[in-house]
Amino acid sequence: MAWPISMRSPATHHPLLTSPSHLLRRPASPTGLRPSRSRSPRRRTMASNAAVAVEQETQAKVSLLRIGTRGSPLALAQAYETRDKLMATHPELAEHGAIEIIIIKTTGDKILNQPLADIGGKGLFTKEIDEALLEGRIDIAVHSMKDVPTYVPDGMILPCNLPREDVRDAFISLTASSLAELPAGSVVGSASLRRQSQILHRYPSLKVENFRGNVQTRLKKLNEGIVHATLLALAGLKRLNMTENLTAILSVEEMLPAIAQGAIGIACRSDDDKMINYLSSLNHEETRLAVACERAFLETLDGSCRTPIAGYACRDNDGNCTFRGLVASPDGTRVLETTQTGLYEYDVMVAMGKDAGKELLSKAGQDFFDW
């Protein structure tokens, strides 16, 4: 379906001074009288400086903003990116100790020996962090947007997306330069049904096995020869400064990205005006609109971790939005796709995402999602 198109150009511990635990008594004077307790100007100045230092240290230990995040290297890199942007934008947050990063372990981090679809699907990497936010244990939550369910708990909002990283997937192998060069029977490690279905659709002679863990864990398994190749999000490799590990970059035509891949989302409580103001200064509107379009598509399909779904919205050369959506069977035997174009505006793009989802639901039929 073609949406209205405009021809607009694209938008472009420090040391703490302390007093001794007790004061040493001065020797008695020759007269036997105790010395005077009055202080010289120099001693009064030293005492005053010590008091100021104590007060400053106490204030520094009370953080103004607490960031909640998972503890993986990539999640921490995203939290640090958020912290650095906040410090650069708000001088009061640049003070020592003003921002605290709090690591929260999620269900998805605790259970690593089962496929994601078998341990609950939606919210595996966000639920515990969102709970900490709503309970007031943290002030903002930093998420990979592709891990965030299409609904958010009451009392929480997602007002901010940081500028999106590269959405493409990276192919990594020690024996081949591309998926096409892998011999028949080769094993590709991936926990993503989206990747699995697209790989098997194009290369049915390959095998895909469940392959979970953080980036470092997956690369270690690859080096140990557990699989012949794996795919990782290029955005993660870039944020970790690990692009030297990639073998090739897959185009979006060969491997359509996950919904909101490469996008960082930051949540806060809906009644916390202070945090909302902080986050509004970081929001990248072009990314927010693209993510909204893709998530509208996902929500319409009501997809779970058992459904291979991919989608990507971007600004084209004319400044408009082009959206591509895909849904597939896990074995790759059926792949349904759609393309939509329209104005790069929130309402239009959300409508595009929904319309694309309805179109593929109609094409798929009632039994398509019964895996």
Side-chain angles (χ1 to χ4, degrees):
M1 176 178 178
W3 291 80
I5 295 179
S6 74
M7 300 303 291
R8 292 178 297 178
S9 300
T12 50
H13 160 60
H14 56 74
L16 172 65
L17 295 176
T18 57
S19 299
S21 59
H22 61 280
L23 295 175
L24 297 178
R25 293 181 181 274
R26 292 181 182 177
S29 69
T31 62
L33 298 176
R34 297 180 66 182
S36 169
R37 291 181 178 272
S38 63
R39 295 177 179 176
S40 68
R42 182 169 179 268
R43 287 175 59 81
R44 286 197 297 271
T45 300
M46 291 174 64
S48 176
N49 289 342
V52 170
V54 170
E55 182 180 359
Q56 289 176 341
E57 179 70 7
T58 301
Q59 291 175 347
K61 288 181 178 179
V62 179
S63 55
L64 300 176
L65 191 154
R66 298 160 299 172
I67 299 175
T69 178
R70 295 169 60 200
S72 72
L74 178 54
L76 287 172
Q78 295 177 162
Y80 294 146
E81 181 178 341
T82 301
R83 178 201 63 187
D84 293 347
K85 289 180 181 294
L86 285 166
M87 292 172 66
T89 309
H90 303 279
E92 70 275 20
L93 297 180
E95 297 295 326
H96 174 72
I99 297 179
E100 180 182 4
I101 292 179
I102 298 175
I103 296 173
I104 300 170
K105 203 159 190 176
T106 69
T107 301
D109 299 311
K110 297 171 185 175
I111 306 175
L112 297 175
N113 59 349
Q114 298 179 51
L116 295 174
D118 294 346
I119 58 175
K122 297 179 180 179
L124 285 172
F125 297 107
T126 60
K127 181 175 179 288
E128 288 82 358
I129 300 177
D130 292 342
E131 289 173 349
L133 178 64
L134 293 173
E135 292 169 4
R137 291 184 279 126
I138 59 175
D139 300 303
I140 64 173
V142 177
H143 295 304
S144 288
M145 278 305 299
K146 67 177 182 178
D147 295 334
V148 179
T150 53
Y151 59 87
V152 295
D154 290 339
M156 189 184 100
I157 57 173
L158 267 162
C160 174
N161 288 122
L162 299 186
R164 198 173 196 173
E165 246 300 354
D166 200 312
V167 303
R168 295 173 296 173
D169 282 325
F171 172 78
I172 306 174
S173 176
L174 303 179
T175 60
S177 60
S178 66
L179 281 166
E181 288 191 9
L182 288 171
S186 294
V187 178
V188 180
S190 177
S192 164
L193 288 179
R194 168 190 66 87
R195 291 175 177 139
Q196 173 182 302
S197 63
Q198 293 185 75
I199 291 171
L200 295 179
H201 180 66
R202 291 176 177 271
Y203 310 101
S205 66
L206 300 180
K207 298 178 180 179
V208 181
E209 292 188 0
N210 186 51
F211 200 60
R212 293 193 55 209
N214 60 37
V215 172
Q216 291 79 359
T217 299
R218 297 188 201 189
L219 292 177
K220 181 174 181 290
K221 289 180 179 179
L222 178 64
N223 288 330
E224 291 171 350
I226 296 176
V227 296
H228 300 103
T230 189
L231 301 185
L232 294 172
L234 181 57
L237 293 174
K238 286 189 172 185
R239 290 187 172 119
L240 290 168
N241 294 315
M242 294 177 64
T243 54
E244 72 277 5
N245 291 281
L246 67 84
T247 303
I249 299 174
L250 305 181
S251 68
V252 294
E253 287 74 28
E254 184 175 2
M255 182 63 62
L256 197 62
I259 300 299
Q261 183 156 312
I264 296 174
I266 312 176
C268 67
R269 291 180 292 277
S270 56
D271 61 354
D272 194 336
D273 292 338
K274 185 176 183 179
M275 294 303 142
I276 292 172
N277 288 334
Y278 278 145
L279 297 184
S280 65
S281 66
L282 302 189
N283 180 57
H284 187 255
E285 189 66 0
E286 182 171 327
T287 296
R288 189 182 76 87
L289 267 57
V291 168
C293 178
E294 295 167 22
R295 284 167 60 81
F297 173 70
L298 180 63
E299 182 178 24
T300 302
L301 290 171
D302 193 25
S304 71
C305 281
R306 294 187 182 277
T307 310
I309 295 173
Y312 178 44
C314 63
R315 192 185 291 275
D316 61 27
N317 292 333
D318 295 321
N320 298 299
C321 176
T322 296
F323 173 77
R324 286 185 58 212
L326 174 154
V327 64
S329 59
D331 62 4
T333 55
R334 291 191 66 191
V335 174
L336 305 175
E337 297 184 70
T338 182
T339 300
Q340 310 248 339
T341 58
L343 295 175
Y344 208 100
E345 297 176 358
Y346 181 84
D347 290 340
V348 173
M349 292 169 67
V350 168
M352 286 169 57
K354 290 179 178 179
D355 189 72
K358 291 174 183 177
E359 179 187 335
L360 293 191
L361 281 174
S362 177
K363 288 181 180 179
Q366 291 184 340
D367 300 330
F368 189 83
F369 299 99
D370 297 335
W371 313 121

